[in-house]
Amino acid sequence: MKQSKLFKVVSLIGISVLTMGLFVGCGNSATKTTDASTQTAEASPKNSTETTNSDNVIVMGTNAEFEPFEYRDGLDIVGFDVEIAKAVANKLGKELKIEDMAFDSLIMGLNNDKMDFIAAGMTATEERAQQVDFSDSYFKSKQVIIVKADNTAIASADDLVGKSVGVQLGTTGDLFVSGTEGVTVVQVKKGTQAVMDLQNGKVDAVVIDEEPAKKMIAGKTDVKILEVPFIEEEYAIAVKKGNTELLNTINETIEELKANGEYDKIYEQFFGKTE
């Protein structure tokens, strides 16, 4: 199958187009606009902690704006990643606490000991691997393009050139689009905000991970996901560099969940049965 020009650009420049620590982006000649709003950690006491210095507690860092992987259900943070994290905590015999913050602040928070690991639908990229150690992959995903339902001008990744595209700051969607010349990149803190901007005509398209995209447009008749091949990626859990003991435990947990059928049960809970 013929690759799109955008995919070729990404392949040529690699993920190195953003060498800034958290991939907030500085890509070639693409024009960028950054949303001025900020996201604060609003987790309830059972979902938040300020320190990882406890023998009885392990802290997961995340951005609870990424349904179905992590999102809010009342005061609680729930999701696919949370269930994986609970299994890790149970294996260690510890209580799981969740630190909720902006996605582009997670790696800094991890390296500043605000959390023990990151489970946030995070793609294991080469640049991120220079700052953290990644577990084995636990989920395969891909980036998709969301457009207005009546949009006929954008049918593939090639058509994003010359258009304004909304992305969540610091994500791989931001990374891929920011590395493409001729695209006006509009960076926001939340993927849901990018979709709202699309609905309101502030951007021409949104690039974001497939499963959250499905949740974000569910029940909406004015937007759609393009059925075109795009960039595939794999999610992994991040730990502070050198934390081999925790990394081994996480890998063992992922392996055990897949072997004993629990992974499939968690998958079905949040995504439904596989075909």
Side-chain angles (χ1 to χ4, degrees), residues 1 8 10 18 30-31 35 45-46 54 87 99 103 114 119 136 145 152 169-170 188 195 214 217 245 263 267:
M1 184 176 293
K8 288 180 179 178
V10 172
L18 300 180
T31 305
D35 181 70
K46 67 186 293 185
S54 171
E99 181 74 22
F103 185 86
K114 294 294 184 181
D136 296 336
I145 303 170
T152 58
L169 182 65
V188 294
V195 174
K214 291 177 182 177
I217 73 165
E245 183 176 356
Y263 182 94
Y267 186 98

Side-chain angles (χ1 to χ4, degrees), residues 18 20 22-27 32 169 174 178 187:
L18 300 180
M20 293 176 62
L22 300 179
F23 309 102
V24 294
C26 184
K32 301 183 184 180
L169 182 65
D174 181 10
S178 294
Q187 298 167 313

